[in-house]
Amino acid sequence: MFKKSIDTKKRMIIASSLTAALTLSTINVTAADNEFIFSQSYNTEHIFHHTSQKFIKKLVEQNSSYQPDYHLGGDLGDWTSQFEQAMMGVIPMTITYGASEFDGRLDLTWLGYVVDDWKSARKVYGPGGPMLDVYNKIFADMDLVALGMIPTGFGSITIRKGVDKVPTTFPEDAKGIKMRVIPSPLAIERFNNWGFSAVPMPYSELYTALQLGTVDGRAFGPAVEIWQMRDVLQAYILTRDYFEHGFWLVNKDWWEDLPAAEREKMQTSADQTLDWAWKEAEAIDNKFLEKVRDYGIDVIELSDEDRTKAKDIIYSKEWPYMEKKVGKEIMTMMRDIAAIK
């Protein structure tokens, strides 16, 4: 179990001049104008941005006296950095992914083949779904609260231009392919099990690595991110090995210190926005998949046989690996959700 001490937080703040500056800025602005930093690290095409814009509008409709100071595109750091800053209260509210370097249990967000379609994804991860309580038990140890999950879409793998192999059967086709994965032990586990040479790498370094040939492909790629890197890619293989979802996070201390009426307005605005996001996200995901296809990237579906083989590897190796991190109770629930005997 992970729990940051006050001393640890202080050391982290002292170590980062940016964090210190942001902390002072946040305190001064919030005290003067009821403004608060609200951030996400992706561009205006991403569902995170659309969700953020909708929330800001909803908050105005609630006549809240609090105003978001909205930052996008990573000007406050990449998604991992923003997660860390939310833990410390530097950024009171952010939409980001679960950074498992701060608690290995958050690798649960990347667990393979939990759901197969958007209907089952909403049932599991959407408003009122069972996973929010599970995640919030983890986030509580990091001084965070998740207001909900933001759907991004099903993630798959892609191969850069200049690579003459297009892997669809694992592990046979994967040998010798350097596949970028997120910096997560679970990600390394999955792609090594599938036969790739897994290369953990921050998102901020990925495009250049694909350009230079440092890696042959990337995993953990929903369609919107494939579109953003389209000029260096030649094939998109629809493994759909996990359902990507981010978290709408608030710093727990900041959230609980809000006036009750204002916290209720924010929660109402967030709930309305989450309902909208889950209705819109599938259409947005499908739109970007079509744009990727129309651009000329080869979009490849796995055969039923290859998909079953890929799933069997994950269920037999990755899921027992994850059980050691999160415990039998959670993984029993995950097996029930995925209908795995």
Side-chain angles (χ1 to χ4, degrees):
M1 182 174 291
F2 173 90
K3 192 173 179 75
K4 284 196 173 296
S5 67
I6 294 174
D7 288 342
T8 302
K9 288 185 180 181
K10 287 180 178 177
R11 286 195 297 270
M12 293 166 72
I13 292 172
I14 291 170
S16 170
S17 59
L18 170 63
T19 298
L22 282 172
T23 304
L24 292 173
S25 173
T26 304
I27 292 171
N28 291 337
V29 170
T30 302
D33 301 312
N34 284 348
E35 285 190 356
F36 63 95
I37 292 177
F38 174 37
S39 68
Q40 58 87 17
S41 62
Y42 292 91
N43 64 23
T44 56
E45 293 183 309
H46 203 278
I47 185 64
F48 286 7
H49 174 70
H50 298 305
T51 301
S52 301
Q53 292 293 94
K54 179 66 68 172
F55 170 72
I56 292 169
K57 180 180 178 181
K58 291 292 184 183
L59 201 58
V60 171
E61 292 173 1
Q62 288 290 320
N63 296 314
S64 173
S65 63
Y66 279 71
Q67 299 177 353
D69 176 16
Y70 178 52
H71 294 259
L72 74 158
D75 64 343
L76 299 184
D78 66 11
W79 65 267
T80 305
S81 174
Q82 292 190 25
F83 184 99
E84 182 179 6
Q85 292 179 68
M87 286 194 306
M88 294 185 292
V90 174
I91 297 176
M93 179 182 288
T94 184
I95 297 176
T96 187
Y97 295 108
S100 62
E101 52 262 60
F102 300 107
D103 190 317
R105 293 173 296 172
L106 287 177
D107 266 340
L108 197 64
T109 65
W110 310 107
L111 188 64
Y113 292 121
V114 177
V115 294
D116 286 322
D117 54 37
W118 275 89
K119 183 178 180 180
S120 57
R122 175 160 185 154
K123 183 178 179 181
V124 173
Y125 299 109
M131 288 306 298
L132 184 59
D133 286 343
V134 173
Y135 286 134
N136 268 326
K137 289 176 182 177
I138 299 171
F139 285 131
D141 291 341
M142 290 174 276
D143 202 23
L144 293 169
V145 174
L147 303 183
M149 279 86 83
I150 310 296
T152 305
F154 285 90
S156 295
I157 64 175
T158 187
I159 298 295
R160 67 172 174 84
K161 291 179 178 177
V163 176
D164 60 1
K165 294 180 68 176
V166 179
T168 58
T169 301
F170 313 135
E172 291 85 350
D173 293 353
K175 185 177 180 180
I177 296 177
K178 294 176 291 185
M179 182 65 68
R180 177 268 176 181
V181 301
I182 59 171
S184 157
L186 186 75
I188 298 169
E189 177 82 6
R190 177 179 308 164
F191 282 87
N192 284 342
N193 287 337
W194 271 359
F196 294 93
S197 296
V199 182
M201 179 182 295
Y203 183 82
S204 58
E205 300 174 12
L206 174 55
Y207 181 79
T208 301
L210 289 166
Q211 274 187 318
L212 298 177
T214 307
V215 293
D216 301 314
R218 65 159 293 186
F220 297 88
V224 62
E225 293 180 19
I226 304 308
W227 173 250
Q228 291 164 2
M229 300 183 177
R230 59 192 178 276
D231 60 311
V232 295
L233 303 176
Q234 72 173 15
Y236 188 34
I237 302 99
L238 300 179
T239 53
R240 297 188 179 94
D241 46 293
Y242 73 107
F243 184 76
E244 185 167 291
H245 53 287
F247 295 100
W248 193 334
L249 297 176
V250 292
N251 177 268
K252 189 172 185 289
D253 293 337
W254 175 82
W255 182 247
E256 292 177 350
D257 285 343
L258 288 171
E262 291 297 335
R263 186 167 60 248
E264 184 177 348
K265 290 176 182 179
M266 285 194 194
Q267 184 69 67
T268 298
S269 300
D271 290 344
Q272 292 174 353
T273 301
L274 285 163
D275 186 61
W276 172 87
W278 277 90
K279 291 176 182 176
E280 290 295 312
E282 182 176 4
I284 293 172
D285 187 43
N286 288 336
K287 178 187 76 172
F288 279 105
L289 182 59
E290 285 306 308
K291 290 177 74 170
V292 166
R293 185 180 280 112
D294 292 344
Y295 182 78
I297 292 174
D298 192 12
V299 178
I300 301 167
E301 289 277 1
L302 294 185
S303 68
D304 290 343
E305 181 181 358
D306 284 339
R307 186 176 301 280
T308 297
K309 189 173 182 180
K311 282 186 172 184
D312 287 345
I313 293 171
I314 283 181
Y315 292 150
S316 65
K317 295 184 177 182
E318 179 177 312
W319 283 53
Y321 168 86
M322 195 63 206
E323 186 168 315
K324 295 176 183 177
K325 288 191 171 187
V326 302
K328 185 174 181 179
E329 181 180 356
I330 288 178
M331 289 309 293
T332 297
M333 183 191 73
M334 300 306 297
R335 289 185 176 91
D336 289 342
I337 288 170
I340 300 173
K341 302 300 184 182

